[in-house]
Amino acid sequence: MVGYLRRMFPRISSALALTGVCFSASLSSASANEVRATVTINDSGTLIFQNPNSTGAPLSPSVSGTYGSSSVAASMGAVAVDLDLAGRPTGSDSATSGATWKEDYTILGGSGAGTANFTFSLTGTFTAGNLIGSDQVNYGANAFGNSLDSAQYQSGNVLSGVLPPQTYTVPVAFTYGTPFTVSGGLSGGANLSGSVGFGHIHMALRETGFTVAGGNYTASSAGGTSRGGTFASGADYTGFTLANSVGHTTTATLVGGTAGADRDISLNFLSPNGSLQAASDIVDVKGPLTDVFVLQLNYDLAAANTLFGGDNGLFLAWFDTATGVWKNAVAGNEGGTSTFFNRAYNPLTDFSLGNWGIDTTAHNVWAVVNHNSEYAVTASPTPEPASWLLLGCSGLVLGYRRFRRA
């Protein structure tokens, strides 16, 4: 990545090398459980640097100039880059944005060595036009120091539109009980020299959980807790549960369902989503495939009171990648009929695809579903923006189109 950035932006990288605050340095020196971000913009010959460094806290530095703006948002498990730059008939302008995060994980439940398959989602928009000569617009994403994806447009190439949601799986060797570091980074930039070209980059990279094949395990990190379990064909999912250690300390529980084949099931609590007002943490469910199962999440009543004025109207939500909207979880089902119950789940009568409800006494919401997805508790469908909005360090912004895993 160091060479990549220097090839893309020779003028900026030279200046960064002199100051000692460069994006490449944040990649190589950040310790575990840290996030770092770098934003630069060259406006009429003036370079501005921001290189905040914080342990675990979200970052959202931004720099604006006459001809462009460059911003990043970074937190545990996620990075976003927003960059807009317009060229001039005379003179030159450059801008870069980049961030990294590193986080310690510890996986328990076995002995010796194992392999965890971490997944990452990359989405966004990447537009360039009227590029001449050495003009260029580009982005690059990486995990564990290895490139996940990159693209560069130069000398008249034009691209406009939405980058389809892309999911990457990275196998990581670990030792049970021994902490290891998960990392990710995202960068973007534009270099326009004496032209009327333009570049727009609005990208998001997020770690979306992991699985350990054939294993029963638990895991913890600064971003949340995870659990995996192996179920033989015909086994009952009921009672498979996980409590998060951070955020709203949500508990996710499968309270019904049967494995249609041998299944490896995982529950992963993910980093907060700043574009979704939620009364729970976000949990990613992997493994049941098309099996019908019942997912129950408890909700934070204090958060529900603050965000929604109470718990009336709360429901289990699912992120619909086709529309970019959080919807009722049963809307993602293949088949079934949506039916609401204002009470706790009853396993004797309620195990029917499409049933859903809320138990305001125990502060739980539940739904009978048949899709692997990310789930959370909210009170109304919330559209996610086409590009990330930087909401400051009070919360992580994850305005991207997440990929629904089959």
Side-chain angles (χ1 to χ4, degrees):
M1 181 62 74
V2 176
Y4 171 78
L5 286 173
R6 287 180 175 165
R7 288 195 302 274
M8 296 301 100
F9 312 106
R11 290 185 299 118
I12 288 182
S13 61
S14 298
L16 290 172
L18 291 174
T19 63
V21 284
C22 65
F23 178 59
S24 60
S26 68
L27 279 174
S28 60
S29 63
S31 61
N33 296 332
E34 284 191 350
V35 292
R36 295 197 179 199
T38 299
V39 177
T40 73
I41 185 169
N42 176 0
D43 180 9
S44 302
T46 301
L47 287 172
I48 305 172
F49 302 95
Q50 291 194 17
N51 189 27
N53 174 19
S54 180
T55 302
L59 301 174
S60 57
S62 179
V63 176
S64 297
T66 303
Y67 303 101
S69 63
S70 187
S71 305
V72 297
S75 188
M76 285 300 173
V79 179
V81 168
D82 282 272
L83 182 146
D84 295 281
L85 191 68
R88 296 171 288 165
T90 60
S92 61
D93 294 279
S94 298
T96 64
S97 295
T100 61
W101 58 271
K102 292 191 175 183
E103 181 177 0
D104 275 344
Y105 269 82
T106 302
I107 299 178
L108 304 174
S111 60
T115 300
N117 293 305
F118 280 83
T119 55
F120 296 83
S121 173
L122 177 67
T123 53
T125 60
F126 179 41
T127 307
N130 299 328
L131 305 181
I132 63 172
S134 60
D135 291 357
Q136 52 197 255
V137 178
N138 64 80
Y139 73 85
N142 71 85
F144 298 94
N146 301 311
S147 176
L148 291 179
D149 194 9
S150 63
Q152 175 186 348
Y153 288 81
Q154 187 172 15
S155 300
N157 289 316
V158 177
L159 175 72
S160 180
V162 176
L163 182 71
Q166 300 183 70
T167 296
Y168 304 89
T169 300
V170 181
V172 179
F174 69 91
T175 300
Y176 284 98
T178 301
F180 62 97
T181 301
V182 177
S183 64
L186 183 63
S187 65
N191 187 7
L192 306 176
S193 303
S195 74
V196 291
F198 63 87
H200 308 290
I201 298 170
H202 307 282
M203 309 294 296
L205 176 71
R206 192 184 184 205
E207 187 264 302
T208 54
F210 67 95
T211 60
V212 178
N216 295 288
Y217 62 88
T218 58
S220 62
S221 74
T225 54
S226 303
R227 182 185 180 187
T230 299
F231 292 81
S233 179
D236 190 353
Y237 290 139
T238 302
F240 189 65
T241 188
L242 174 68
N244 199 13
S245 60
V246 298
H248 296 288
T249 61
T250 300
T251 297
T253 306
L254 301 187
V255 293
T258 302
D262 292 346
R263 306 289 196 205
D264 290 330
I265 307 298
S266 70
L267 303 175
N268 294 277
F269 280 108
L270 306 179
S271 299
N273 184 326
S275 66
L276 172 70
Q277 290 188 321
S280 74
D281 302 314
I282 298 172
V283 64
D284 179 66
V285 180
K286 292 183 172 73
L289 299 176
T290 58
D291 293 344
V292 177
F293 62 97
V294 188
L295 176 64
Q296 176 178 283
L297 296 185
N298 74 311
Y299 57 86
D300 183 340
L301 182 59
N305 289 334
T306 299
L307 294 173
F308 311 116
D311 54 5
N312 183 40
L314 290 180
F315 60 90
L316 185 67
W318 146 73
F319 185 75
D320 181 0
T321 59
T323 62
V325 174
W326 284 85
K327 299 179 178 179
N328 192 305
V330 300
N333 287 341
E334 296 293 334
T337 301
S338 175
T339 305
F340 172 70
F341 295 89
N342 190 21
R343 55 170 170 75
Y345 172 73
N346 185 340
L348 299 179
T349 60
D350 296 344
F351 188 71
S352 179
L353 186 63
N355 285 352
W356 60 283
I358 181 171
D359 177 2
T360 55
T361 301
H363 305 148
N364 294 323
V365 297
W366 56 272
V368 185
V369 295
N370 62 354
H371 53 100
N372 294 350
S373 295
E374 293 179 17
Y375 297 92
V377 181
T378 189
S380 61
T382 304
E384 296 205 347
S387 62
W388 281 34
L389 304 176
L390 302 181
L391 299 181
C393 293
S394 61
L396 174 63
V397 178
L398 295 173
Y400 77 105
R401 299 180 180 274
R402 277 182 295 278
F403 181 78
R404 175 179 167 187
R405 288 161 297 280

